[in-house]
Amino acid sequence: MSGKITHESKKIKKENSKLNKSLNHLLKFLSLIILPAGILLFARTFFVGSTTDLPSAAVKTVSVIIGMIPEGLILLTSVSMAAGVVAMSRHHSLIQKLSSIETLARTNILCVDKTGTITTGKIKFMDLLLVEGDKTISIKDLTAEEKDKHTTIQAASALSSVLPAANETQKSLQKTFTQKTNWKAASILPFSSERKHSKAEFEGKGTWLLGAPEFINCSIPESLQEKIHSRLLEGYRVLILSEAKTFDEKESTLRGILILSDELRTDVAETFDYFEKQNVEVKIISGDDPQAVFAIAKRSGIKNMKSFANMKQVADQNIPEKVKTTSIFGRVSPFQKKEILLALQKQGNIVTMVGDGVNDVPALKQADCSVAMAGGSDAAKNVSHIILLKNNIGSLIKAVYEGRRIINNIHRVASLFLVKTTYSAILAVFFVFWGKDYPIMPIQMSLINALTIGIPSFFLALKPNRERVSGSFLDNAVKTSIPIGMATAAVMILLQAASTVIDIPDPALSTMSAAVLSSAGILALFVNCTPYTLSNTILFAGCTIALIGSMLFGGKLIFMTSLTLIQLVVLAVLIASVFGLYKLT
């Protein structure tokens, strides 16, 4: 089993980031357009157009190419993600994989291991019930001398001393049963998450087994079964101690019942209540008895735990159907955890897994976003995307807030970049066949980009945003960018046509074109600044005033010229048309 888990931890899983996939698709698409459009436009400008010198033709071609490239979008995405990593570190969350910020924000199913997540992982010994026939005697009722002489207590002490402290249960028993014995172990079988029990053979003392009741073959009287069942319903861990004649013997005799208690985390109810309100379904996956896990969930204040299942009794082929209706999965093997997550993912869910043990590694590797506790095993931390440094599951709420802020804001500001890309791509094709050169100068394009895209996008990307992430990056960005971009392209084409009717000189045409593109940028910025808080109002007003002021007073520096009255009237109509066409689309 350990070898399989080690092999699983070394697998490299393909990144599941919708944002990265969308950006890659966008860049590939633009790459296919930019190169042929650039070549054709340069050839059209240099060989057919009015520009006969190479530098001027190159400058005019560059103006179009600059417009088609969403420069700054990739940088803004990376900076936003990096800022998110820093912000999450303040809330004691270590991000090991950048894309996990997005995945956590999109999660709709949260799977958690019980031990170390709902509980602290610490186990407290409550009682040892010594079995005599169908009756039991509590270890608490014995005198010190009786404890020293009792064979079952001696066996518990001997087992605790020879078995490795592989988990918190074993560590708790080692602290409790400290009696020194002269029992010598001949053979040892350590605990495993698959067997759910351990055993040791002692010279002249027989073989003693320790583990979960359903995993040890021994006869348990009905009255004791009821006692075990009642303790499980109260949320306690129950182990049995039994004796066999030989190490390989299948059947054994019940000698003791150990009652253990998990220490609960104080922030579990609040955390899970938050996720419930956000329509994120919580599922508990544990190797412990499902009844005990259900009881612990209730004690922790977790709501809407609809049903539980003993996965020892569920065949692998039935897991996809079982995950639809089950909230708590008990007696789950490490690779069953992985199968549960895989079934949920195949049903179209984005799944986050929280765990801390070696047994959680297969599930953590399978999850879209994996979260480990800092106090957990090194294997779990190595394969996880996020580590909660304070072992505090409540940190997930802050991590989700941060992830939503980053992704929602990137979706929003991306439309600023894509407005320019949309109209530039349309105009590039148009000017290949139009009889005149592209009227916009690179410096004009740079000014418009800086004041309607670059500067405002930086501030908008850092705004608080706790709305749930919905839709894909491209869908959300296209909703605003395509209508404004197409409206702008249509008005620009109309302007070029009007220039042939009323004879607009090239300098004036360049000025009017820059003004139309500026109005499109201002419109896109206006849409993206909603809701209009004080900071958003200042941002919009500041960028708008700076752009208009540069256009009015920039003069020859940005190749702007004065316009006649007729040209101003035409320009006003065209700018109004940009807003009107946007409303229509």
Side-chain angles (χ1 to χ4, degrees):
M1 176 62 71
S2 60
K4 288 183 180 179
I5 292 176
T6 301
H7 176 71
E8 192 74 20
S9 68
K10 292 179 180 178
K11 289 183 178 179
I12 299 175
K13 187 183 175 187
K14 192 175 180 181
E15 188 178 83
N16 181 26
S17 170
K18 290 186 177 182
L19 179 61
N20 285 346
K21 288 178 182 177
S22 296
L23 287 173
N24 288 336
H25 289 155
L26 176 64
L27 293 177
K28 287 177 182 177
F29 175 72
L30 291 177
S31 299
L32 294 174
I33 293 177
I34 287 173
L35 186 60
I39 294 173
L40 288 173
L41 194 60
F42 175 79
R44 161 70 185 78
T45 304
F46 185 68
F47 296 108
V48 181
S50 59
T51 304
T52 56
D53 61 300
L54 185 62
S56 297
V59 166
K60 291 187 177 183
T61 303
V62 167
S63 298
V64 184
I65 302 301
I66 287 176
M68 293 174 67
I69 300 172
E71 74 270 24
L73 180 57
I74 305 301
L75 176 61
L76 180 68
T77 301
S78 300
V79 169
S80 297
M81 290 288 190
V85 171
V86 174
M88 286 187 182
S89 68
R90 296 194 204 104
H91 302 297
H92 313 294
S93 298
L94 175 64
I95 308 300
Q96 299 198 123
K97 191 173 184 180
L98 209 57
S99 61
S100 63
I101 296 174
E102 176 197 1
T103 315
L104 182 61
R106 292 183 180 275
T107 293
N108 69 309
I109 291 185
L110 177 67
C111 295
V112 298
D113 179 41
K114 177 184 75 70
T115 305
T117 305
I118 297 176
T119 66
T120 62
K122 295 180 180 179
I123 307 296
K124 183 180 179 182
F125 173 81
M126 302 300 291
D127 201 359
L128 169 60
L129 304 178
L130 304 167
V131 178
E132 296 181 1
D134 59 351
K135 296 182 180 180
T136 60
I137 301 173
S138 172
I139 191 176
K140 298 175 183 178
D141 297 331
L142 300 181
T143 64
E145 186 178 350
E146 288 174 326
K147 291 178 183 178
D148 290 339
K149 293 180 179 180
H150 205 289
T151 303
T152 301
I153 298 175
Q154 290 178 352
S157 297
L159 277 172
S160 298
S161 63
V162 300
L163 292 174
N167 52 47
E168 290 297 325
T169 300
Q170 193 62 40
K171 291 176 183 177
S172 176
L173 295 178
Q174 284 184 352
K175 292 177 182 177
T176 303
F177 297 101
T178 56
Q179 178 184 345
K180 291 185 178 181
T181 67
N182 57 0
W183 291 30
K184 294 183 179 180
S187 300
I188 296 174
L189 182 67
F191 173 86
S192 85
S193 56
E194 191 173 15
R195 289 189 303 270
K196 302 293 183 186
H197 75 272
S198 56
K199 63 180 177 178
E201 181 181 15
F202 298 95
E203 295 177 3
K205 303 293 184 180
T207 297
W208 289 80
L209 298 86
L210 176 67
E214 61 265 47
F215 286 84
I216 294 179
N217 187 13
C218 74
S219 178
I220 303 176
E222 188 174 340
S223 60
L224 296 185
Q225 287 183 13
E226 291 177 0
K227 188 170 289 190
I228 290 172
H229 183 67
S230 66
R231 293 304 178 97
L232 288 173
L233 291 179
E234 292 170 3
Y236 292 105
R237 288 179 180 235
V238 178
L239 304 178
I240 63 172
L241 189 61
S242 65
E243 180 185 8
K245 292 180 181 179
T246 65
F247 191 76
D248 297 321
E249 189 173 349
K250 300 295 183 182
E251 296 185 1
S252 59
T253 304
L254 180 63
R255 296 301 186 197
I257 301 172
L258 291 109
I259 312 298
L260 305 168
S261 176
D262 290 278
E263 182 180 275
L264 302 178
R265 294 192 183 276
T266 57
D267 59 347
V268 170
E270 179 188 350
T271 302
F272 287 1
D273 185 55
Y274 164 78
F275 282 109
E276 181 191 346
K277 290 177 180 176
Q278 298 297 314
N279 296 319
V280 177
E281 187 178 356
V282 177
K283 294 183 182 291
I284 302 174
I285 305 176
S286 174
D288 294 338
D289 185 278
Q291 297 176 93
V293 179
F294 185 75
I296 285 177
K298 289 180 68 176
R299 279 171 53 197
S300 301
I302 302 172
K303 303 172 185 176
N304 292 331
M305 293 288 107
K306 301 172 186 176
S307 60
F308 58 84
N310 188 332
M311 294 305 290
K312 184 186 175 186
Q313 302 167 358
V314 178
D316 287 349
Q317 62 267 28
N318 295 330
I319 288 177
E321 193 62 32
K322 201 71 178 175
V323 299
K324 294 179 181 178
T325 56
T326 306
S327 299
I328 295 176
F329 302 85
R331 295 301 181 211
V332 185
S333 69
F335 286 94
Q336 272 186 319
K337 290 184 180 182
K338 176 184 174 181
E339 291 302 317
I340 290 171
L341 264 69
L342 184 59
L344 290 169
Q345 289 169 327
K346 286 183 177 179
Q347 293 167 11
N349 299 297
I350 298 176
V351 184
T352 290
M353 175 71 193
V354 185
D356 71 334
V358 174
N359 300 329
D360 298 319
V361 167
L364 291 170
K365 287 290 289 185
Q366 181 60 44
D368 297 302
C369 177
S370 52
V371 182
M373 300 292 181
S377 67
D378 289 338
K381 288 185 285 188
N382 286 338
V383 302
S384 293
H385 303 146
I386 301 173
I387 299 176
L388 304 181
L389 300 177
K390 292 287 186 179
N391 298 310
N392 181 5
I393 194 171
S395 299
L396 277 179
I397 296 177
K398 299 291 185 183
V400 169
Y401 284 162
E402 196 62 33
R404 289 183 175 182
R405 181 190 66 77
I406 293 168
I407 303 306
N408 283 326
N409 287 343
I410 289 174
H411 282 195
R412 170 184 283 193
V413 301
S415 62
L416 293 175
F417 292 90
L418 296 184
V419 164
K420 174 174 66 75
T421 299
T422 301
Y423 67 65
S424 294
I426 296 172
L427 293 177
V429 175
F430 171 76
F431 276 100
V432 168
F433 303 100
W434 186 242
K436 291 187 177 182
D437 297 337
Y438 191 69
I440 301 294
M441 301 300 291
I443 192 170
Q444 294 170 338
M445 207 68 225
S446 297
L447 176 66
I448 296 169
N449 291 348
L451 292 173
T452 63
I453 301 174
I455 294 172
S457 66
F458 176 79
F459 289 102
L460 290 173
L462 300 177
K463 290 286 181 181
N465 192 324
R466 294 183 177 182
E467 295 177 11
R468 186 175 178 181
V469 178
S470 60
S472 70
F473 165 77
L474 287 178
D475 288 343
N476 290 335
V478 159
K479 286 178 184 177
T480 302
S481 60
I482 294 296
I484 297 177
M486 292 181 67
T488 305
V491 171
M492 281 289 289
I493 292 171
L494 185 61
L495 172 60
Q496 307 315 307
S499 68
T500 61
V501 176
I502 59 176
D503 191 24
I504 302 175
D506 287 346
L509 182 61
S510 177
T511 298
M512 294 172 72
S513 298
V516 169
L517 296 188
S518 296
S519 67
I522 291 170
L523 174 59
L525 182 58
F526 176 81
V527 172
N528 280 277
C529 280
T530 54
Y532 272 86
T533 60
L534 178 62
S535 58
N536 282 6
T537 302
I538 292 172
L539 177 64
F540 174 73
C543 289
T544 302
I545 292 169
L547 181 58
I548 294 173
S550 300
M551 291 288 179
L552 292 175
F553 305 108
K556 294 182 179 179
L557 181 64
I558 55 173
F559 297 94
M560 301 294 285
T561 187
S562 58
L563 303 177
T564 64
L565 180 60
I566 295 177
Q567 291 168 354
L568 287 172
V569 171
V570 171
L571 178 60
V573 171
L574 292 173
I575 290 175
S577 299
V578 172
F579 290 84
L581 287 173
Y582 167 68
K583 285 294 183 180
L584 290 175
T585 55

